[in-house]
Amino acid sequence: MKLDTKYMRYITQEDWKVLTAVEMLSKNHEVVPTKLIGQQSHLGGSTARSISALAKIGLIARLRNAKYDGYRLTYGGLDYLALHTHNNKSAVYSVGNQIGVGKESDIFVVASPTGRQLVLKIHRLGRISFRTVKANRDYLRNKQGGSWMYMSRLAALKEYAFLTALREHNFPVPEPIAQSRHTLVMSLIDAFPMRQIASVPDPASLYAELIAMILRLAQYGLIHGDFNEFNILVEEKPDAEAKGGVALTPILIDFPQMVSVDHANAEYYFDRDVNCIKRFFKRRFQFTPTEAGPYFADARKMIGKDGAVRLDVNVEASGFSRKQAKELEAYMKSVGVDGDGDPNAPRADLEENANDDEEEDEEDEDFVEEEEPEAEPVEKLEFRDDVEYTTDKLGNTVEVLKTLSVDDKT
Ligand code: ADP
Ligand code: MG
């Protein structure tokens, strides 16, 4: 899904108040009555003007059915609110091009006010339900209206909490920078997913390192749950000591499916993580380890070893409660998001999704924007006159990073 920031600078303080009011009221109204938006935003007469401006650019959508006068927040509206917060907290200054389209997320390169390149991950749980799980779609719409917003927020919260905990204990993961609503900001890892690597000089040592990482996670009470070649980025550094002259460092990403070693299905998730790596190494590098395992019993023996703290317990106590974990897990199951762990399963990470927008529009059947937005959204490599392009370090043509609302901080 697109993230078109071009209207950001035109949004007034009053518009933000109204948008925030719609967000707050969405928590217990599937469609927010127009009257309530006015009351909540305390703006009196100018509310109507803001509502109309926000609907015009698609940040809120009006119920088509005239019997009921109300609006709901759109994905775009929630994206803008999150970006606004990141911008106000000086986490994000500008937004660049999209580098990943996952099953449940969109990934963008962004920059901090000092020009540091970062990654913005936007969770889009529920999107999959509109795409592929038709039966669940009605279930979700009727019984859990607006839950995509809540569940996507839970996924971002969970990911941020684990990223923070893992980073504190020196796991090779991106640096967490900020979190807002359904998004998080982290450092950009300058490396390719293992999926894109054709060959390595020393598969045995990379394999050993990955298995060690799986066991070290267990030592701290955790199972990644989606440990596969898409979620491991491999950094290359010249190193005279290493075989082939390059040292490879795997960096682990993507944490919404992380489970505790005490989870009822812990063994299943552990085995799946291990087997995913084995299968990939066999297929891609023709590498088969001499030893069988590791098995979950081996992992259990590691728990707490050398005084390792239980990060599953810590995160539950501080950043992400057990209740939230259960809610998120149930939802992920209901929409068929459960880290299939199958490298052959179709993944959008590396491919364009041509029908993306068409299918998403289904969600909007009952809603209509007040007017069609006048310009088409920016697609990844569709050239436009009003956008500047440059060449990135991989030789791809990319959009020049666009500055968010600079005059907004008044
Ligand atoms: P999903 O849950 O949708 O799979 P991921 O967190 O795995 O989302 O991100 C999708 C893709 O985006 C990754 O496979 C990777 O190529 C890229 N990516 C994500 N985070 C980063 C990062 N911090 N640095 C560099 N690339 C990243
Ligand atoms: Mg992933």
Side-chain angles (χ1 to χ4, degrees), residues 5-124:
T5 57
K6 70 171 176 288
Y7 299 112
M8 203 84 183
R9 59 177 67 243
Y10 303 118
I11 298 178
T12 65
Q13 288 300 335
E14 293 186 346
D15 297 343
W16 284 120
K17 274 193 189 145
V18 170
L19 192 58
T20 306
V22 177
E23 180 193 28
M24 304 248 306
L25 292 162
S26 296
K27 283 170 191 162
N28 36 30
H29 294 81
E30 196 165 340
V31 178
V32 180
T34 309
K35 230 170 103 186
L36 282 187
I37 303 174
Q39 288 166 14
Q40 177 84 26
S41 54
H42 308 292
L43 289 174
S46 60
T47 311
R49 200 207 57 80
S50 283
I51 287 178
S52 141
L54 294 168
K56 202 165 170 178
I57 58 177
L59 304 189
I60 58 176
R62 185 180 207 160
L63 186 66
R64 202 199 293 271
N65 175 354
K67 274 179 258 164
Y68 188 92
D69 185 25
Y71 292 83
R72 67 161 181 80
L73 193 66
T74 63
Y75 277 110
L78 195 63
D79 292 352
Y80 266 49
L81 283 164
L83 272 178
H84 188 55
T85 299
H86 288 313
N87 194 219
N88 283 342
K89 294 191 173 164
S90 296
V92 175
Y93 180 71
S94 59
V95 175
N97 64 308
Q98 186 163 2
I99 56 167
V101 187
K103 280 191 296 190
E104 310 100 47
S105 74
D106 289 318
I107 313 280
F108 296 87
V109 174
V110 298
S112 76
T114 58
R116 182 179 176 201
Q117 293 223 308
L118 302 168
V119 158
L120 171 74
K121 179 167 179 177
I122 305 182
H123 283 274
R124 302 209 189 277

Side-chain angles (χ1 to χ4, degrees), residues 99-100 102-105 107 119 121 174 186-189 193 230-231 233 253-254 347 349:
I99 56 167
K103 280 191 296 190
E104 310 100 47
S105 74
I107 313 280
V119 158
K121 179 167 179 177
M186 60 187 135
S187 59
L188 174 77
I189 304 298
F230 293 95
N231 293 332
L233 308 178
I253 59 165
D254 202 0
R347 294 290 301 239
D349 297 45

